[in-house]
Amino acid sequence: MAAGGREGFAPPGWPVEVRPPGAPDWEKTAVAWLFDLCPPDYRLHEVLRRHPVVLARFASYAVAAGIEASRRGLSTARDDLRGAVPPQAVEAALVAYEREGARLVAAARAVALVEEALRGKRFTQRL
């Protein structure tokens, strides 16, 4: 099923790595993706493997911390790296911080959507 509130519709911003809500094994793909966003040691916690909503909360905070780190790095990189690396490396670091920050902002939105679906929300397609 695909449209109009039926099982299997994924809203805009849904991660491509996760099957649409309601599709077979969609929660398994959600759990795998959420774990990929978290520090590796999170896989050691039974509660995160057994309760995907708890994992989604942990992933949300992990991604938020990454966003904050990217923002801080972007604001301090010039001073922190001046004299330690060539100027072109500083500029490349700034670009990397900008790209990583944008990737993480998109991931934060996707985590929120996945968490909503794990909590039972079903998305409807707008016409």
Side-chain angles (χ1 to χ4, degrees):
M1 295 186 223
R6 294 177 283 189
E7 303 293 337
F9 174 73
W14 188 263
V16 297
E17 300 87 350
V18 179
R19 298 192 65 173
D25 294 326
W26 86 269
E27 285 188 13
K28 286 182 182 179
T29 64
V31 166
W33 179 75
L34 289 167
F35 269 126
D36 286 346
L37 293 174
C38 295
D41 287 350
Y42 281 24
R43 294 176 191 273
L44 301 174
H45 300 287
E46 180 69 22
V47 68
L48 302 181
R49 291 193 310 272
R50 296 183 97 200
H51 300 281
V53 172
V54 176
L55 173 59
R57 288 284 69 225
F58 273 62
S60 176
Y61 289 122
V63 170
I67 292 169
E68 180 59 31
S70 291
R71 288 178 179 157
R72 179 151 185 190
L74 187 59
S75 71
T76 63
R78 286 190 197 283
D79 289 338
D80 292 347
L81 299 174
R82 184 180 299 123
V85 296
Q88 62 270 25
V90 174
E91 293 305 315
L94 294 173
V95 169
Y97 275 127
E98 288 174 349
R99 287 182 181 157
E100 184 62 8
R103 183 191 72 80
L104 289 167
V105 166
R109 169 148 169 67
V111 168
L113 291 171
V114 169
E115 183 176 353
E116 286 182 279
L118 288 168
R119 291 176 181 262
K121 180 174 181 175
R122 291 298 175 248
F123 302 98
T124 57
Q125 190 172 20
R126 292 186 180 182
L127 300 177

